[in-house]
Amino acid sequence: MSARPALAPGLVVATHGRHCIVESPDGTRRICHPRGKKSTAVVGDHVLWLAAAQGQGQGQGDDGTIEKLEPRRNLFYRQDEIRTKSFAANLDQVLILIAAEPEFSETQLSRALIAAEAERIPPIIALNKSDLGEPFTRAWGWLAPYRAMGYDMLPLSLKTGGESSGELAQRLKGKTTLVLGPSGAGKSTLINQLIPGALVATGELSQALNTGKHTTTSTTLYWVDKEAGTAMIDSPGFQEFGLHHVDARHLADFMPDIKRHIAGCKFYNCTHLHEPGCGVIAAVKPGDEADSISPRRYKIYGDLFAELSQGPRY
Ligand code: GDP
Ligand code: ZN
């Protein structure tokens, strides 16, 4: 009788549909997929996996199966036209990379911040292309309400480098950071600077996982410095964030500018949409007063409240 094969620990460093790349503590990587149709593993998951007997992988080229997921500290979601999906777990922080150009969407920025707040993951906002001058000054000014909310915000020029890149490196050190940003903001430039050659290697990996098929998008964890525990997670695009797990009635808790005025509401169950004596509505003012709510943010609150009140999208 042969000994029962042992479960081995690993970290999910890439996913491609249900295929996962699992990295062992010694750095070796294997293609595995979760046992059972319903279970899913995401990048950042700590797992226990079982090596497939010779020639018995579940899928073509599989080296083993993921048998168990360790409990997650947090989980990030995104949403496509059909449903909400989780895609990254166990994050220390989220880096939202936007740029002076192309213009970014404030709704997308707010959604990303709310998604981070809802999972209690600290966000960092980096505004890239500070070398552009006037458009940068305008964008930086436009972000004033977010600085007033207390968000960590960093000016950046990935093109010219300089002091700000050092500050960013400091913030990333020893942490697992999910990078989000609209296309054109400089995400590939950042990843190429931090991990030279990473994107080329990922292309090859994608091809290996997708033999013969059209390459689809995937989420990937890159080690910037494995010994220091510095990792970046890249997920293509700046998707609509899945906020289905956020109850509309709690939305205000995840928007700091709105939250700080709730105490002034007359009704304990105020939705801040139309009630008399609402502290939030009273605080909506144009201009840069540090303690006010910008009309743009209030509109985002209203739109999201309506969306989340419709219930989950599955
Ligand atoms: P991605 O779509 O987010 O991956 O963006 P890329 O990294 O491909 O960058 C988009 C464009 O912005 C490229 O042409 C980059 O050379 C340019 N870019 C990146 N960083 C900077 C920067 O700091 N300043 C300027 N002016 N251009 C930049
Ligand atoms: Zn209110």
Side-chain angles (χ1 to χ4, degrees), residues 73-74 76 91-93 114-123 254:
R73 272 193 292 141
N74 50 48
F76 226 77
L91 307 169
D92 293 312
Q93 56 191 7
I114 292 163
E117 296 269 357
E119 289 291 314
R120 295 190 175 79
I121 305 167
F254 306 127

Side-chain angles (χ1 to χ4, degrees), residues 89-222:
N90 301 319
L91 307 169
D92 293 312
Q93 56 191 7
V94 177
L95 175 66
I96 303 170
L97 182 67
I98 49 184
E101 280 175 2
E103 202 174 296
F104 54 87
S105 144
E106 189 170 2
T107 302
Q108 292 281 34
L109 171 62
S110 290
R111 288 184 82 109
L113 290 168
I114 292 163
E117 296 269 357
E119 289 291 314
R120 295 190 175 79
I121 305 167
I124 302 168
I125 303 169
L127 183 65
N128 189 26
K129 311 196 187 180
S130 64
D131 53 283
L132 290 182
E134 211 276 317
F136 180 85
T137 313
R138 209 171 341 117
W140 186 259
W142 210 66
L143 289 167
Y146 294 84
R147 284 191 294 282
M149 283 175 230
Y151 286 118
D152 184 14
M153 198 181 297
L154 210 60
L156 201 62
S157 174
L158 291 169
K159 198 171 189 172
T160 58
E163 221 172 285
S164 59
S165 301
E167 263 188 56
L168 179 62
Q170 273 301 322
R171 285 191 179 53
L172 301 179
K173 201 170 173 190
K175 300 200 161 135
T176 297
T177 306
L178 172 68
V179 196
L180 300 171
S183 94
K187 205 152 60 117
S188 328
T189 308
L190 175 69
I191 290 177
N192 272 323
Q193 280 182 13
L194 291 171
I195 316 120
L199 296 180
V200 177
T202 308
E204 286 164 7
L205 182 82
S206 298
Q207 273 179 357
L209 285 177
N210 260 321
T211 32
K213 284 184 241 153
H214 187 69
T215 303
T216 53
T217 55
S218 65
T219 304
T220 309
L221 179 144
Y222 302 104

Side-chain angles (χ1 to χ4, degrees), residues 1 8 13 47 57 76 82 90-91 126 203 263 312:
M1 229 171 74
V13 293
V47 302
F76 226 77
I82 308 160
N90 301 319
L91 307 169

